[in-house]
């Protein structure tokens, strides 16, 4: 597990942690005496790390963060070293003054990073050679909140306004817009979550979830973008001053389940299989409250969950981090009435 700091100092840590033994086994081990993560190697970033991705099938990490839209490339240490070192930077032409870049990685053909801060600044760069291999057709300059590889040829872009766009590397000038989000009385920020497809299932056939800063959730099938699969309202507090930590993610090993965070110190898990297009409030099947109630003292502001992710093999295991520097790994249990 890799984590990084996002403070404004010039010494933000990047750490690779070894999970506790109970998380590494495929079978349930019951109580385990060792429950802590251990630092395997680490380094320091001179800029805040707002996004961190591992490049599959390599020992490389890519990060992004203010003050511009450049990408930093890191080498995770070899066995005889405990240092994560910076190896290069992907500089963006005229990137100064732009928002920090959102990033996604893939190694289907070669180690690639998909990155961009705005809809008119999306490109794919070969990580090791830093060669540009694709630039998306420009259609506006809206700020991006996220992007993803659906497969080795298809890209999905999500604007902060909630607008979705599909791009195909085989057709550089094409950029298809998916259905816009429901109209809202006030300005909202949106993020998206794509689901990892099962064996033999096309990624593009998987629903895309979008989450707004007031807790609205939409599910969209990219094969039929003229209508929503489902609409729901999450049970979250009123939106605060920003939406920088909004996060929605599909469970990779559990059909129809997703998790959301970024509103407070909680992580909500939902079963979407009963959702319809009514937009009514959805009842979470589980709420993780560990970050909200685990802080010491009590004089400081409550921590805010910055990100969460699902374990790839353990269906009901998630990891989450918060502004107080805490990192939790936890399981949730289906309520007995819905077993």
């Amino acid at each position: 597990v890799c984590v990084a700091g996002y403070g404004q100092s010039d010494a933000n840590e990047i750490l690779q942690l070894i999970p506790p033994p109970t998380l590494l086994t495929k079978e349930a081990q019951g109580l385990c005496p060792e429950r802590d993560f251990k630092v395997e190697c680490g380094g320091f970033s001179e800029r805040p790390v707002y996004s961190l991705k591992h490049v599959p099938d390599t020992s490389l990490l890519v990060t992004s963060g203010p003050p511009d839209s450049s990408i930093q490339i890191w080498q995770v240490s070899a066995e005889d070293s405990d240092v994560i070192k910076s190896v290069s930077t992907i500089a963006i032409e005229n990137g100064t003054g732009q928002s920090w870049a959102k990033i996604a990685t893939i190694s289907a053909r070669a180690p690639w990073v998909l990155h961009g801060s705005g809809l008119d600044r999306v490109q794919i760069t070969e990580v090791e050679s830093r060669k540009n291999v694709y630039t998306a057709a420009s259609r506006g300059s809206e700020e991006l909140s996220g992007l993803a590889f659906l497969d080795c040829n298809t890209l999905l872009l999500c604007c902060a306004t909630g607008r979705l766009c599909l791009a195909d590397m085989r057709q550089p000038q094409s950029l298809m817009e998916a259905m816009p989000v429901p109209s809202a009385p006030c300005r909202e920020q949106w993020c998206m979550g794509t689901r990892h497809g099962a064996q033999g299932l096309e990624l593009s056939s998987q629903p895309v979830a979008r989450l707004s800063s007031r807790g609205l959730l939409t599910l969209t099938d990219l094969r039929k973008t003229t209508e929503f699969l489902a609409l729901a309202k999450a049970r979250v507090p009123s939106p605060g001053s920003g939406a920088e930590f909004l996060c929605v993610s599909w469970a990779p090993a559990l059909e129809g389940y997703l998790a959301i965070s970024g509103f407070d110190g909680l992580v909500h898990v939902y079963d979407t299989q009963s959702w319809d297009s009514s937009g009514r409030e959805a009842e979470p099947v589980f709420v993780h409250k560990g970050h909200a109630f685990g802080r010491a003292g009590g004089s400081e502001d409550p921590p805010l969950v910055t990100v969460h992710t699902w374990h790839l093999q353990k269906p009901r295991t998630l990891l989450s981090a918060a502004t107080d520097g805490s990192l939790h790994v936890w399981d949730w249990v289906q309520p007995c009435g819905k077993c």
Side-chain angles (χ1 to χ4, degrees):
V1 179
C2 291
V3 297
Y6 65 96
Q8 297 303 315
S9 70
D10 58 357
N12 287 288
E13 287 185 295
I14 297 181
L15 303 175
Q16 179 170 282
L17 307 176
I18 301 176
T22 185
L23 196 62
L24 299 175
T25 59
K26 293 185 177 180
E27 302 83 13
Q29 296 293 307
L31 292 176
C32 181
E34 182 58 66
R35 301 179 61 189
D36 294 330
F37 288 83
K38 293 183 178 179
V39 177
E40 185 172 32
C41 54
F44 292 95
S45 172
E46 295 181 354
R47 61 171 67 204
V49 178
Y50 277 31
S51 185
L52 181 153
K53 302 289 183 183
H54 172 246
V55 182
D57 305 322
T58 73
S59 58
L60 300 174
L61 304 173
V62 291
T63 64
S64 65
D68 53 39
S69 56
S70 63
I71 306 296
Q72 289 68 53
I73 304 173
W74 303 80
Q75 174 73 56
V76 178
S77 65
E79 293 182 0
D80 58 346
S81 172
D82 60 359
V83 176
I84 297 177
K85 62 180 181 179
S86 175
V87 293
S88 62
T89 297
I90 299 173
I92 308 302
E93 186 177 354
N94 299 323
T96 303
Q98 298 293 320
S99 172
W100 61 280
K102 283 63 179 182
I103 53 179
T105 56
I106 196 173
S107 287
R109 302 176 186 171
W112 286 350
V113 56
L114 169 65
H115 56 100
S117 58
L119 198 56
D120 57 344
R121 293 177 175 272
V122 176
Q123 63 188 64
I124 296 175
T125 304
E126 205 284 315
V127 174
E128 294 174 330
S129 69
R130 300 190 298 284
K131 177 183 177 182
N132 175 266
V133 296
Y134 170 81
T135 300
S138 174
R139 187 176 295 178
S141 57
E142 294 177 55
E143 180 184 354
L144 288 175
S145 64
L147 33 71
F149 284 100
L150 296 181
D151 54 38
C152 61
N153 293 310
T154 313
L155 320 173
L156 183 63
L157 317 174
C158 181
C159 299
T161 58
R163 177 184 176 193
L164 283 180
C165 292
L166 275 170
D168 192 322
M169 291 182 59
R170 296 162 295 189
Q171 301 174 13
Q173 298 307 312
S174 69
L175 195 62
M176 185 184 80
E177 183 175 348
M179 186 175 182
V181 295
S183 58
C186 59
R187 176 176 171 80
E188 293 179 84
Q189 298 290 307
W190 291 79
C191 69
M192 74 167 180
T194 57
R195 186 173 171 225
H196 298 281
Q199 289 288 336
L201 195 60
E202 292 184 6
L203 284 173
S204 59
S205 69
Q206 298 300 299
V208 175
R210 280 175 283 180
L211 171 67
S212 82
S213 53
R214 66 184 177 104
L216 188 63
L217 281 154
T218 73
L219 306 185
T220 305
D221 187 335
L222 295 179
R223 299 168 300 178
K224 190 176 182 180
T225 60
T226 57
E227 61 185 43
F228 293 115
L229 285 176
L231 289 171
K233 179 72 169 60
R235 186 177 297 175
V236 296
S238 300
S241 57
E244 59 182 327
F245 298 124
L246 282 184
C247 183
V248 56
S249 63
W250 287 101
L254 203 59
E255 185 70 28
Y257 285 79
L258 58 76
I260 67 169
S261 64
F263 298 89
D264 47 25
L266 311 179
V267 182
H268 292 215
V269 178
Y270 290 92
D271 179 2
T272 69
Q273 296 176 88
S274 62
W275 288 5
D276 53 29
S277 57
S278 66
R280 64 174 180 264
E281 185 173 272
E283 182 77 20
V285 296
F286 185 82
V287 179
H288 176 65
K289 303 179 180 179
H291 295 286
F293 298 116
R295 70 185 192 277
S299 58
E300 298 180 356
D301 292 334
L304 178 65
V305 173
T306 57
V307 70
H308 71 265
T309 188
W310 294 77
H311 194 287
L312 293 178
Q313 287 84 35
K314 296 177 183 290
R316 300 176 189 273
T317 299
L318 293 92
L319 292 88
S320 54
T323 51
D324 61 355
S326 59
L327 174 63
H328 291 181
V329 53
W330 44 277
D331 288 317
W332 61 276
V333 179
Q334 185 81 15
C336 292
K338 299 180 181 179
C339 289

